[in-house]
Amino acid sequence: MESIILNIIDKLVSGNKLFLYLFFFFSQYLQIIFPPYPGDMVLVIEGYLSELVHLNIYFILTIAWFGTFLSSLMLYKLGEKEKEKILHSKFIKFIFNTKKFLKLKNMFNRHGPAAIFVSKFIPGIYSFTVLIAGISEADKKLTYLTIGIVNIIHHTMLIVLGKILKENWVIIINVLKTYNKYVIIAMIIFTLFYVLLTRVNKKKFV
C-alpha cells in the first residue's frame, strides 16, 4: 500500500496542487475510517513536500487536521446512534478487534477523554476509542475538544519532522514502525501480566 501511495503523490506533485491538497485531506480522513491506511506516513511526506515544492505548511496542517477531525466526529456520531449493535457489523469486525470493546469501554468510563488523548499515540486503537466514546455517550464538548487538541499536536509533530528532515523523511517512518512494534509488544506483555495478576488474586479469595 505504501508504494501505491508514494506513486500517487509523485504524480500529484507534478500536476495540479489542488488535487494534492485534496489527497492530503482524504488520507487523514481515510486513516480514521480505515486504520490500516498509513496516514502517519502521508503526514511526514506532507512536511517534506512543504519544503520541496513550497507548499504552505499551515494550510497543509489545517487540511490534515480537518480531515481527521471530521472523520473522528463521524465515528463518534456513528457510535452514539447505533450503540453496541455497531460492533456486530462485519465491516467493524474486519477493521477492529471488537473483543477489546469491554476493556476499552471500562478504560473510557474511568478516564474519559484522557483515553482518547493517549490512544492517539498507541497504534491501532484511536479510531475504536472514539467509537467507544460515542457508544458511551461521552460529553460531546469535552470529547470534541480532546479530539481537536490531540490531533493538532500529533499532526504538527509529524509534519514539522518531515519538513526538517527533508529527503531523510524515511528515517521517521522507520522510527514509527519500530515505535509501533515495541508499543504493541509492551501492550501484549501488560495484558498478559494483568490477566495473570487477576487470576492470582481470584485464587487468593477462593
Side-chain angles (χ1 to χ4, degrees):
M1 183 181 291
E2 292 180 0
S3 59
I4 295 175
I5 293 171
L6 289 174
N7 287 333
I8 293 174
I9 292 175
D10 185 55
K11 292 179 181 179
L12 291 175
V13 166
S14 57
N16 192 319
K17 296 297 186 294
L18 174 61
F19 291 109
L20 188 60
Y21 286 127
L22 289 174
F23 179 77
F24 292 160
F25 169 83
F26 180 73
S27 289
Q28 297 317 308
Y29 186 92
L30 185 60
Q31 184 185 21
I32 305 304
I33 303 302
F34 187 71
Y37 181 84
D40 286 353
M41 181 190 77
V42 177
L43 284 172
V44 175
I45 294 175
E46 288 174 20
Y48 164 57
L49 291 179
S50 72
E51 188 71 21
L52 180 68
V53 295
H54 308 294
L55 299 176
N56 188 310
I57 191 170
Y58 299 107
F59 189 46
I60 289 176
L61 176 59
T62 301
I63 289 174
W65 177 84
F66 186 66
T68 303
F69 189 75
L70 187 64
S71 52
S72 296
L73 293 194
M74 192 192 81
L75 273 184
Y76 178 91
K77 288 293 185 181
L78 183 64
E80 184 183 43
K81 180 181 178 181
E82 300 296 330
K83 302 299 181 187
E84 295 182 18
K85 68 180 181 179
I86 189 64
L87 300 174
H88 301 294
S89 164
K90 291 182 179 180
F91 179 72
I92 296 297
K93 287 183 176 181
F94 174 74
I95 297 177
F96 303 116
N97 181 2
T98 53
K99 293 179 181 179
K100 296 179 180 177
F101 167 70
L102 290 177
K103 292 181 180 178
L104 281 173
K105 186 175 182 181
N106 291 334
M107 181 181 71
F108 194 87
N109 289 336
R110 287 197 303 270
H111 305 291
I116 294 179
F117 193 96
V118 173
S119 71
K120 186 61 183 177
F121 301 95
I122 300 176
I125 71 167
Y126 169 79
S127 298
F128 196 44
T129 305
V130 172
L131 187 64
I132 297 302
I135 294 173
S136 303
E137 295 185 346
D139 181 85
K140 289 183 180 180
K141 290 183 179 179
L142 193 54
T143 299
Y144 293 174
L145 181 62
T146 304
I147 289 172
I149 292 174
V150 73
N151 282 295
I152 287 176
I153 295 172
H154 177 269
H155 291 8
T156 300
M157 285 172 53
L158 294 182
I159 290 174
V160 169
L161 282 173
K163 182 178 179 65
I164 293 173
L165 290 182
K166 300 177 184 178
E167 289 82 2
N168 297 314
W169 62 267
V170 179
I171 294 174
I172 307 174
I173 305 304
N174 292 332
V175 170
L176 285 174
K177 287 180 179 179
T178 303
Y179 167 80
N180 290 343
K181 181 176 68 175
Y182 283 114
V183 167
I184 291 172
I185 292 173
M187 288 178 65
I188 292 173
I189 294 173
F190 175 80
T191 302
L192 291 174
F193 178 77
Y194 177 79
V195 171
L196 181 62
L197 189 64
T198 302
R199 289 183 177 180
V200 170
N201 289 333
K202 282 184 178 179
K203 288 182 179 180
K204 287 183 179 179
F205 291 100
V206 172

